[in-house]
Amino acid sequence: MTLRILHIELGRQLYGGAKQVEYLIRALDPSQHTNLLVCSAGSAMSSLALDNCEVLPLPCAGDIDLQFPFRLHTCIRQHKPDIVHVHSRRGADVWGGIVARYNNLPALCTRRVDNPESSIAKYKYRQYDAVVSISEGVRQVVGKHCQDSRQEVIHSAVNQHDFSYTHTRQWLESTYHIPPGTRIIANFAQLIPRKGQAELIAAMDKVTAHHDNVVCLLFGKGKQHDSYRRLIDSYGLHGKVRLCGFTDDVPRILPAIDIMAHPAHAEGLGVILLQGAACKRPMVSCPVGGIPEVIIDGKTGLLVPPGDSAALANALLKQLDDPATAQRLGNAAYHHIEAHFTPAVMARRYASLYQALTSKKG
């Protein structure tokens, strides 16, 4: 029997959770699954070409769009799925479960962030037959609201073929005016306090005191941009730490850097870490949320306490001073995600859950 799965992903851009939905749809066995994708009209996903999937763009104005559940109900009545899988928030996590239950369909919700929720979240999750967390760290946060639903941990994935660029070092040096022979540390995240760039800037003060030929590139945008600019100036790190803005060139940049630093204070899983591992990059991060499921300290990378710039500096120096060990960690990270964080692994886990929930409902 072929299952008809209605996926709901209302993200506007094709990264983060939306990219995970694309990975999942492409990896599900077409002999056993037919996919329907509800997405926001005008979003990047609405123009995505996917085999074995009918894309169904719907107008959606976010959490406060009270017409969206009626549009979703009409869509379900027309396309008759066997199961509803809600991937995003923006109101979909609230309305998706309610509309599925109204139509007597099994439903699951994937939770991707470890932000605390209020006590009313239990009423939202009560509408779902299963709640999936992308890491054990997320499950620990969400679990307290989901006593009435089946709980699963299914990790996010990375497609290693998306990061198969080679010979990009010269391009990176030319694009960002980096002298040849310079060691490159990079961070890819929103410029917000919980991503830890302030500690990374402070750590670079110590790092550059030991290694003059090191530069740190901060890729991302956010409300802390001006604050971080002032912090860079206060340490006298102009030119050594650079605010590079948002980039779509992550798959091209990552293979060319020497170390990836991701000193986040909170993180659901950290897809950027999966991407770094796909490029065999040495990584330094913090043991928060789902990060320890990707970076096993001393085996697939180095972990330091969140907010500790001195420990972060020491970890970066350790990798700079011992490139052979750093590369060993990068190679181990690659093999770790190859075994546990691929689209094929993710799709098998979801396919098993779909089958269990539809069999139970039937």
Side-chain angles (χ1 to χ4, degrees):
M1 173 184 171
T2 300
L3 288 179
R4 288 174 62 81
I5 306 150
L6 182 78
H7 304 271
I8 305 176
E9 171 54 64
L10 301 182
R12 302 295 302 178
Q13 305 300 325
L14 191 54
Y15 55 78
K19 189 66 177 178
Q20 295 299 315
V21 177
E22 180 190 357
Y23 282 157
L24 174 60
I25 290 173
R26 292 191 189 280
L28 284 168
D29 185 346
S31 69
Q32 299 181 28
H33 308 94
T34 299
N35 298 286
L36 305 159
L37 174 60
V38 170
C39 57
S40 294
S43 67
M45 295 205 81
S46 66
S47 58
L48 198 60
L50 293 167
D51 294 336
N52 194 41
C53 180
E54 184 175 356
V55 180
L56 307 169
L58 293 181
C60 180
D63 293 356
I64 60 172
D65 188 346
L66 299 182
Q67 293 302 310
F68 177 75
F70 296 99
R71 299 185 195 109
L72 180 60
H73 169 70
T74 300
C75 182
I76 286 174
R77 300 289 284 184
Q78 179 180 354
H79 293 277
K80 297 179 171 52
D82 298 305
I83 189 169
V84 173
H85 185 171
V86 177
H87 296 269
S88 68
R89 303 178 78 183
R90 297 192 73 232
D93 55 340
V94 174
W95 298 118
I98 293 172
V99 175
R101 182 171 288 251
Y102 181 80
N103 284 277
N104 197 35
L105 289 172
L108 65 151
C109 175
T110 295
R111 172 78 174 180
R112 303 188 184 280
V113 296
D114 61 350
N115 300 343
E117 293 188 274
S118 67
S119 59
I120 64 172
K122 64 182 179 181
Y123 300 106
K124 172 179 69 176
Y125 292 122
R126 190 174 291 170
Q127 309 305 316
Y128 291 97
D129 298 273
V131 177
V132 176
S133 299
I134 64 166
S135 70
E136 181 61 31
V138 172
R139 192 201 65 78
Q140 291 176 9
V141 174
V142 177
K144 65 187 71 172
H145 303 298
C146 301
Q147 288 85 351
D148 299 325
S149 304
R150 175 172 177 166
Q151 295 184 54
E152 298 277 347
V153 174
I154 300 179
H155 289 130
S156 294
V158 63
N159 188 337
Q160 292 144 296
H161 298 298
D162 289 346
F163 297 85
S164 58
Y165 286 85
T166 57
H167 308 298
T168 61
R169 180 69 177 218
Q170 186 176 359
W171 167 84
L172 181 63
E173 291 173 347
S174 175
T175 302
Y176 293 96
H177 309 291
I178 300 169
T182 302
R183 311 286 291 281
I184 301 173
I185 298 169
N187 169 266
F188 304 82
Q190 284 182 281
L191 302 182
I192 54 178
R194 70 183 180 89
K195 295 298 183 179
Q197 289 98 343
E199 289 81 45
L200 180 54
I201 295 168
M204 284 302 296
D205 184 47
K206 181 176 180 180
V207 169
T208 55
H210 288 76
H211 290 271
D212 186 60
N213 64 332
V214 177
V215 66
C216 180
L217 307 180
L218 304 181
F219 293 98
K221 60 182 181 179
K223 62 183 180 180
Q224 294 297 110
H225 180 278
D226 292 343
S227 173
Y228 291 160
R229 169 61 65 197
R230 291 190 295 270
L231 188 59
I232 291 167
D233 291 342
S234 73
Y235 279 108
L237 291 171
H238 180 71
K240 293 294 186 181
V241 180
R242 306 183 191 179
L243 295 167
C244 301
F246 177 80
T247 180
D248 286 319
D249 287 321
V250 174
R252 195 174 184 185
I253 294 169
L254 265 176
I257 68 172
D258 294 288
I259 300 172
M260 189 172 75
H262 188 71
H265 300 182
E267 194 70 82
L269 181 64
V271 170
I272 190 62
L273 298 174
L274 301 182
Q275 296 170 344
C279 299
K280 301 181 180 180
R281 294 303 84 199
M283 297 182 288
V284 179
S285 192
C286 301
V288 297
I291 289 175
E293 294 161 61
V294 181
I295 297 185
I296 303 168
D297 190 33
K299 294 183 178 180
T300 63
L302 299 179
L303 295 176
V304 299
D308 190 335
S309 61
L312 177 58
N314 289 337
L316 293 171
L317 286 169
K318 185 175 181 179
Q319 298 208 359
L320 289 168
D321 291 338
D322 190 353
T325 297
Q327 194 53 62
R328 176 181 58 78
L329 294 174
N331 291 337
Y334 176 86
H335 293 301
H336 180 56
I337 62 111
E338 186 180 42
H340 302 289
F341 296 88
T342 65
V345 171
M346 178 174 66
R348 285 197 297 270
R349 295 287 310 280
Y350 274 116
S352 177
L353 182 56
Y354 295 152
Q355 186 62 49
L357 296 181
T358 52
S359 298
K360 180 180 178 181
K361 202 75 173 183

